[in-house]
Amino acid sequence: MTDTTGTTPLENLSAERRAFPPSAEFAAQANAQAELYERARADREGFWAEQARSLLSWSTDFSEVLDWSGAPVARWFADGRLNACYNAVDRHVEAGRGDRVALLFEGEPGDTREITYAQLLEEVSRAAGALEALGLGTGDRVAIYLPLIPEAVVAMLACARIGAVHSVVFGGFSAEALRSRIDDAQATVVITADGGYRRGAPSALKPAVDEAVGPDDDGTPSPVQKVLVVRRTGQDVAWTEGRDVWWHEALEAAPAQHTPVDVEAEHPLFILYTSGTTGKPKGIFHTTGGYLTQTAYTHLNVFDLKPEQDVYWCTADIGWVTGHSYVVYGPLVNGATQVLYEGTPDTPHKGRWWEIVAKYGVTILYTAPTAIRTFMKWGEDVPGQFDLSSLRVLGSVGEPINPEAWMWYRRVIGADRTPIVDTWWQTETGAIMISPLPGVTAAKPGSAQVPLPGIVAEVVDEEAKPVPDGAGGYLVLSEPWPSMLRGIWGDEQRYKDTYWSRFPGIYFAGDGAKKDDDGDIWLLGRVDDVMNVSGHRLSTAEIESALVSHPMVAEAAVVGASDETTGQAVVAFVILRAEHLDKVDEAGEGADVAATLRKHVTKEIGPIAKPRTILVVNELPKTRSGKIMRRLLRDVAEHREVGDVTTLADSSVMALIAQGLEKPAASSD
Ligand code: WTA
């Protein structure tokens, strides 16, 4: 394996020998005990059937666990029937737990709302009725473009309640990105808000929707018929009569009761777009029964959830899969009480998260390494001012966590006492796949370690052969799992090509990995053209196509360079069209060019895709067949000596690029 992009070099990881077993006290009370592994190994399908039956309420029981005859499209629990919203809400109320708090909402400006399961039931019932009144029904697609407010959770559940398929689009994506996702899924309704609060000020969302649902450049009308608008900030919004509907008015007009629509286990639950190796985002779609089984199972066992006692907080936005599986479905199906925080960690001060932990007595915290590294930068005095003694389990997700950040997380946030679960999974896997079990595993800083009971993962070489302990290769999943994606929306061939063709018959995750001497798995980052910036997946091709869509750019190459805080950062190399060259000064810095292009990428995709650095170059390193050699560009971006250039069509190119770089580059604001 040559081309991994992880943040911690392999040599350093090999030196990592620390291990932190759970305390005897924690181990004794843990939901998941070591025998879970044996049970799952002895009868994998039986194990999953047991999880499905014990964790979910089915209106019709299933007779077959897994149907793999249509591989690589799995069918789990296929003749069973259920409703996702009923499982997340109604049944808790029916069981007499309606007074339990489901959501402890904290808005960025400091407004709060406590929503019990009984109140949540009334809201989702009204919302489901409102969606039906707009003409929506089973199988219809609904785009959700909202800030992290309770209505986002309600909107998702209301879709599930009527059998409609939600497609949540992160509120930080641009109108263009929203449009392409709406069009691809052919969504007929968008649920949005006037705006949300971001860094102490209201920011608008509705204008992006207005732009996204207008006719496109060719005059093709949008499939969207109705736009439901949540009033969050109270700012003025443009209004299209006949199309736009206030959320609160629609809910008031709907009945307080609604019967959830019974669906088959394989009924689509949601589509979520994620970046792949080509310019066009992939609509990953998940179905109902298997997805709910595995999200509930992992949430209960990996976080050791005790629903009556714990206050759980996953800091992810619902725009990402972590928000789907570990803010909405996993916790609510398990009847958890959880914090939902709208804002950023540093508003109005850098201790905001720790203040929230102390205020609500958060016991389980699930976040991303990039956040932890940011807190490390801000210093331990900040969390030191708050009482964090309620915390008992800490989780990490989204990218490899470097051992230093892991140790800091445990020592400063976890008082040297809490287990840490480093959870590896993907939008495609739907739920956690590789992670320690907090009451069982002696955790190693920086390693996700072992596949969960019921999951089969391997590290293989180029020939798909498992590598021996101590060696590196590619991470694959060798057996189907309940929450696996069922495909890419509208493009079955792309599903097969992307995940099942590199190693025929097994799922290729796109990640490099290594097994240590104990056989524990260490994730090393993506081996394809997908970057991981602050735990968000971005595709090099998507940003390149955004860049070349600007009239001044002739050609662009994008790489992910290591970054201390964000894991990777977007670095773009661009060749300008001749008529724009005069805008670039002699040193090749072209500050105004960089600013213009960064703004353009923000408009095309969203601020998260904005390059940290843009370098104007005259040439790009290419192989004789014309493929851009990103490996060499990454060497340049990471200030390393440039590697082997013998396959370059013109080997002097790298010298020219490196020369241009000796001057400070046009960098981030
Ligand atoms: C990376 C996020 C190392 C990995 C849930 C994967 C991780 C991609 C970890 C999926 C982890 C996620 N350790 N790497 N604990 N968790 N990744 O689809 O490269 O946004 O392929 O899902 O994030 O990102 P996605």
Side-chain angles (χ1 to χ4, degrees), residues 188-274:
T188 52
V189 169
V190 182
I191 306 177
T192 188
D194 50 359
Y197 291 94
R198 206 75 194 148
R199 300 195 184 283
S203 73
L205 270 181
K206 175 94 176 8
V209 177
D210 293 335
E211 195 183 327
V213 305
D216 69 9
D217 294 344
D218 311 328
T220 315
S222 165
V224 170
Q225 305 292 320
K226 297 283 176 191
V227 177
L228 261 177
V229 187
V230 175
R231 188 183 273 155
R232 167 66 183 137
T233 59
Q235 64 198 296
D236 284 340
V237 288
W239 204 255
T240 303
E241 285 305 332
R243 186 198 70 188
D244 297 348
V245 180
W246 282 113
W247 167 269
H248 60 270
E249 288 177 3
L251 262 66
E252 269 161 34
Q257 264 111 39
H258 177 273
T259 309
V261 175
D262 197 33
V263 298
E264 292 173 355
E266 285 298 337
H267 185 73
L269 179 62
F270 67 85
I271 308 171
L272 183 58
Y273 287 83
T274 188

Side-chain angles (χ1 to χ4, degrees), residues 274 321-322 396-401 422-428 448 509 511 523 525-526 532 535-537:
T274 188
V321 75
T322 307
S396 172
V397 62
E399 56 177 313
I401 178 164
D422 174 7
T423 62
W424 179 89
W425 58 295
Q426 309 177 295
T427 306
E428 293 86 341
D511 280 34
L523 277 310
R526 304 288 305 193
N532 193 324
H536 297 150
R537 264 168 80 166

